[in-house]
Amino acid sequence: MTDAPYSNEFLAQRFESHRSHLSAVAYRMLGSRAEAEDAVQEAWFRLSRSDTSRVDNLGGWLTTVVGRVCLDMLRSRKSRAEQPLDSGAPGPADTAPDPEQDALLADSVGVALLVVLEMLTPAERLAFVLHDLFAVPFEEVATIVGRTPTAARQLASRVRRRVQGAEAPDADLVRQRRVVDAFLAAARDGDFDALVEVLDPDVVARHEGGVLTGAAAVAAGAASFAHLARIARPALIGGATGIVVLVDGRPERALTFTVAHDRITVIDITNEPTRAAELDITLLDV
């Protein structure tokens, strides 16, 4: 324990020694390098404004701070996600999906875990990431999420069961196409029940404005997509089955699907025409 506050220079040196760990925690929590950098920077601001003279474990203190910052960011992201799937308003630039970042994150935590993480509540995600990936004790996790240690342990256990039950996606493009055609037909008709039938109960729809989870929420958004679904074309997008909305022959929007056991588990939506134009798209016969 130190009797006098750390100097700013000493704090900066100590902070830099923990930066890579904090960045890793934030990245696995948020799935975005830009947002992770923002969270780490906020941790530095809070450290520089705090009296840390009685902090014995600065690394633990900083991990707690980053966890709380990420929790707030995830909750804010969830509150922004309640939008129809055809919303044309892009979110902030630093929250837009980045295929390269997604690939890096998938490599670091595994594809099945990446899909599951997108389905979690903020508290579930934080409890699992901090404890199972970074060995933070449940007593510390509990203080961050505002739960008891027992409740924090239950959150992580629930996620563990979902990860173990995560299904590998179907590789058969013919089966994928059949499922996606059913989705497109239901979207064109605005048939909510048919959409729910073709969606996995825990389906995740990711777009520039945020994330929707659950068959009911995604079906409601897709039903509002009917006016665009009527002019959408089936396509291969980066080798995966999808649909594309063309305007004057140019891709305006694109949806890429992950299918498992004849149900759609993930929909990646590109609403921004400039980003859609950058995708590797091959139109398929109707």
Side-chain angles (χ1 to χ4, degrees), residues 68 71 75 123 126 140-149 151-152 155:
R68 286 174 174 159
L71 190 60
R75 285 169 174 163
L126 186 140
E140 295 180 27
V141 174
T143 65
I144 300 173
V145 298
R147 310 282 181 90
T148 65
L155 287 173

Side-chain angles (χ1 to χ4, degrees), residues 230-264:
R230 294 188 186 98
I231 60 172
R233 291 276 306 277
L236 288 179
I237 303 174
T241 304
I243 57 177
V244 178
V245 176
L246 299 175
V247 176
D248 296 328
R250 295 187 297 272
E252 185 81 6
R253 288 177 173 82
L255 283 72
T256 307
F257 299 86
T258 301
V259 177
H261 293 285
D262 297 322
R263 294 284 185 92
I264 294 168

Side-chain angles (χ1 to χ4, degrees), residues 116 159-166:
V116 171
V159 177
R160 222 172 286 125
R161 289 193 298 270
R162 295 182 75 173
V163 172
Q164 291 167 354

Side-chain angles (χ1 to χ4, degrees), residues 182-202:
F183 172 89
L184 184 56
R188 285 171 173 165
D189 293 338
D191 189 334
F192 178 84
D193 291 337
L195 284 165
V196 169
E197 182 65 27
V198 79
L199 296 171
D200 184 87
D202 294 320

Side-chain angles (χ1 to χ4, degrees), residues 170-194:
D170 291 335
D172 187 333
L173 290 178
V174 174
R175 292 180 65 180
Q176 288 184 28
R177 172 70 187 274
R178 188 161 55 242
V179 173
V180 171
D181 282 350
F183 172 89
L184 184 56
R188 285 171 173 165
D189 293 338
D191 189 334
F192 178 84
D193 291 337

Side-chain angles (χ1 to χ4, degrees), residues 37-229:
E37 290 172 5
D38 289 344
V40 172
Q41 190 62 27
E42 177 61 25
W44 163 247
F45 289 147
R46 296 189 186 188
L47 174 63
S48 64
R49 296 194 299 264
S50 301
D51 178 5
T52 56
S53 61
R54 297 184 180 278
V55 175
D56 292 312
N57 181 358
L58 187 62
W61 187 90
L62 286 169
T63 299
T64 298
V65 170
V66 166
R68 286 174 174 159
V69 171
C70 290
L71 190 60
D72 289 342
M73 293 173 75
L74 286 170
R75 285 169 174 163
S76 175
R77 182 190 295 174
K78 290 284 186 182
S79 70
R80 295 196 308 267
E82 300 300 324
Q83 307 177 26
L85 297 190
D86 66 337
S87 169
D94 63 356
T95 64
D98 185 319
E100 183 178 356
Q101 290 182 3
D102 287 347
L104 289 170
L105 183 59
D107 287 343
S108 69
V109 301
V111 174
L113 177 55
L114 177 62
V115 172
V116 171
L117 286 178
E118 292 290 355
M119 303 178 185
L120 305 179
T121 66
E124 287 174 334
R125 187 163 181 158
L126 186 140
F128 178 78
V129 168
L130 288 185
H131 181 267
D132 284 45
L133 300 186
F134 293 98
V136 175
F138 281 120
E139 290 74 15
E140 295 180 27
V141 174
T143 65
I144 300 173
V145 298
R147 310 282 181 90
T148 65
T150 299
R153 188 185 303 274
Q154 290 172 344
L155 287 173
S157 296
R158 189 184 309 156
V159 177
R160 222 172 286 125
R161 289 193 298 270
R162 295 182 75 173
V163 172
Q164 291 167 354
E167 301 287 352
D170 291 335
D172 187 333
L173 290 178
V174 174
R175 292 180 65 180
Q176 288 184 28
R177 172 70 187 274
R178 188 161 55 242
V179 173
V180 171
D181 282 350
F183 172 89
L184 184 56
R188 285 171 173 165
D189 293 338
D191 189 334
F192 178 84
D193 291 337
L195 284 165
V196 169
E197 182 65 27
V198 79
L199 296 171
D200 184 87
D202 294 320
V203 63
V204 175
R206 302 182 291 209
H207 56 108
E208 286 92 340
V211 179
L212 282 174
T213 60
V218 174
S224 69
F225 179 69
H227 64 292
L228 291 175

